Amino acid sequence: MTTAWKTKPEAPVTPPNLRGAWAAVNLEQIRENIRILDAHSKAKRLCAIVKADAYGHGAPAVGKAALEAGADRLGVATILEGVELRKSGITAPILVLSEVPVSSAPVLVEYDLTPALFTQGLADAIANVVRATMQDPHPVHLKLETGMGRVGLVPEEVADAAEYLSHLPELRFEGVFSHFACADEADLTSTHRQHEIFMSSLSALRKAGIDPEIVHIANSAATLALPEYHHDMVRPGLSIYGYSPAPHIDGLGIKPCMAITGLVNLVKAVPKGTSVSYGHTWTAKNDTVIASLPIGYADGVRRALSSTGEVWLNGRRVPIVGRVCMDQLLLDLGPNAEDAVGDQVWLLGGTDGAPDADDWAQWADTISWEILAGLGNRLERVLT
Ligand SMILES: *Cc1c(COP(=O)(O)O)cnc(C)c1O
């Protein structure tokens, strides 16, 4: 058994970075997932949602891969996410799904970002910038509130808003959209109800002379399972990254695109009764062998995985023991374990048997979206 001082002479894996822990992102699998979703979709267009740094996968690289594979535009949540994509050289249309502050209108226009729009203030601000800079009419997508209970024009105000907007020639009403609250649930009653409201608000818009070319409402759940709601464009996020929104929704062959992995940097035998990590929340019940990994919650390995999660090492599941620290975590390899220094640990994805984001979500009592979006940017993304 090695100790801290004596390590194996040769590590079996040479890490691709200086740190010995990284996230490998498989861009070809991103492209394949886009092709699967696009082939299944009845819509002419696909807007690949790459908000939150492409759900932790790295937005510029994923955005380019998605466009290569058939997406015709990208969707982000914030204006700076859009600016980052533009600065990386992406020229395809970029939809900003959340309304931006009025003061951001000049940046929207400068970077040619297409905003979600549902307030008179932003409509006026964009119109003013377009007039002052003598630009072509700026594309916008009107956001309708249909039952998410969050943001957008409520049905009662659609007609008035449309009347007002129809007098703003500086805006081009390219799209109109809404967002489902419960499309990933087995009971689709409220989803169908939302769609009815969407259709009636849409006809109110059209009556006022606003007839957007691109009507869209389908997130991953609706893209995969509700083809009748695809309209002119689907807007998948999670499914691009290979995860189905719910166990009952068929993923159609999409596969995860990321592996979080690292190399064991220390193995040591400890006697029964040894407590490890902050708070001494875990104590060895028997003599055992503890391994450490140079990755922690600052990288997105949730602290909720403390003494709960598992990793894949040398062909078996191994438990994470004690508190996950900011930069390190510990594994219990069991008594008489092999000398694993330098061996590759699969924390998430990358090989059969490794946990995936759904396992992490279960351990951390959350959803796969939050696991992926919460991966810190300190964790180096290595493109494969
Ligand atoms: C995040 C988001 C999506 C993508 O949702 P998924 O469930 O990840 O597919 C689509 N549309 C809007 C408006 C969003 O905010």
Side-chain angles (χ1 to χ4, degrees):
M1 178 54 52
T2 55
T3 62
W5 177 244
K6 233 169 147 264
T7 55
K8 274 203 283 196
E10 261 181 79
V13 178
T14 304
N17 64 359
L18 296 170
R19 177 179 168 198
W22 66 98
V25 177
N26 182 344
L27 293 177
E28 179 47 30
Q29 189 61 52
I30 295 269
R31 284 188 283 265
E32 180 60 16
N33 292 344
I34 291 278
R35 287 191 288 262
I36 289 170
L37 294 166
D38 202 24
H40 170 71
S41 166
K42 292 161 66 168
K44 203 161 73 194
R45 296 185 175 82
L46 187 148
C47 175
I49 304 298
V50 296
K51 62 190 178 187
D53 202 23
Y55 293 48
H57 292 65
V62 167
K64 285 173 195 165
L67 292 166
E68 284 160 16
D72 89 308
R73 67 189 62 211
L74 304 176
V76 295
T78 75
I79 189 163
L80 281 181
E81 289 178 333
V83 169
E84 183 196 16
L85 293 176
R86 285 282 179 253
K87 286 186 170 164
S88 80
I90 288 172
T91 56
I94 296 173
L95 187 57
V96 182
L97 297 161
S98 301
E99 217 192 49
V100 304
V102 164
S103 55
S104 301
V107 178
L108 273 181
V109 174
E110 180 186 348
Y111 285 90
D112 191 18
L113 303 172
T114 306
L117 181 79
F118 53 86
T119 64
Q120 188 181 330
L122 185 63
D124 288 340
I126 297 170
N128 287 339
V129 175
V130 168
R131 226 175 289 128
T133 55
M134 307 205 317
Q135 306 269 338
D136 291 338
H138 195 75
V140 300
H141 285 217
L142 296 174
K143 174 77 187 280
L144 304 179
E145 157 58 21
T146 58
M148 177 73 177
R150 198 170 63 177
V151 296
L153 292 168
V154 297
E156 300 73 34
E157 63 187 351
V158 168
D160 281 352
E163 214 288 312
Y164 185 86
L165 292 167
S166 66
H167 299 294
L168 292 180
E170 296 84 0
L171 302 186
R172 180 162 67 84
F173 302 100
E174 181 191 53
V176 56
F177 74 110
S178 191
H179 192 49
F180 286 129
C182 309
D184 55 352
E185 290 179 7
D187 180 353
L188 292 171
T189 313
S190 81
T191 300
H192 296 317
R193 178 79 193 117
Q194 271 198 263
H195 191 261
E196 280 167 22
I197 295 170
F198 187 49
M199 289 296 96
S200 80
S201 286
L202 191 56
S203 74
L205 268 185
R206 287 180 174 142
K207 243 182 239 148
I210 293 184
D211 189 8
E213 182 194 346
I214 309 175
V215 174
H216 53 110
I217 193 168
N219 56 3
S220 287
T223 300
L224 289 166
L226 297 169
E228 66 272 35
Y229 296 158
H230 286 177
H231 292 284
D232 304 304
M233 183 166 84
V234 292
R235 265 187 350 247
L238 185 74
S239 52
I240 295 174
Y241 308 100
Y243 288 93
S244 167
H248 70 278
I249 296 178
D250 183 355
L252 309 172
I254 55 171
K255 291 202 188 87
C257 311
M258 179 190 280
I260 299 179
T261 182
L263 307 184
V264 172
N265 59 358
L266 171 72
V267 172
K268 63 181 171 192
V270 301
K272 174 181 173 176
T274 303
S275 297
V276 301
S277 196
Y278 289 116
H280 281 179
T281 57
W282 183 88
T283 301
K285 290 198 181 72
N286 300 294
D287 292 356
T288 191
V289 175
I290 297 290
S292 85
L293 263 186
I295 184 169
Y297 64 74
D299 303 297
V301 181
R302 309 296 292 250
R303 194 163 171 273
L305 270 55
S306 299
S307 299
T308 302
E310 296 172 340
V311 303
W312 184 256
L313 170 63
N314 293 333
R316 64 189 176 109
R317 285 283 187 104
V318 168
I320 296 172
V321 291
R323 293 244 168 91
V324 172
C325 309
M326 192 184 289
D327 322 300
Q328 303 183 52
L329 58 79
L330 299 172
L331 306 170
D332 179 11
L333 302 189
N336 311 315
E338 72 281 16
D339 177 359
V341 169
D343 289 354
Q344 188 164 15
V345 173
W346 303 92
L347 292 105
L348 182 147
T351 184
D352 286 345
D356 63 15
D358 290 322
D359 293 316
W360 281 36
Q362 210 177 343
W363 292 327
D365 191 21
T366 181
I367 53 175
S368 52
W369 289 262
E370 193 189 13
I371 294 296
L372 296 173
L375 296 171
N377 62 7
R378 189 178 73 179
L379 183 62
E380 217 174 299
R381 302 330 192 253
V382 175
L383 305 177
T384 62

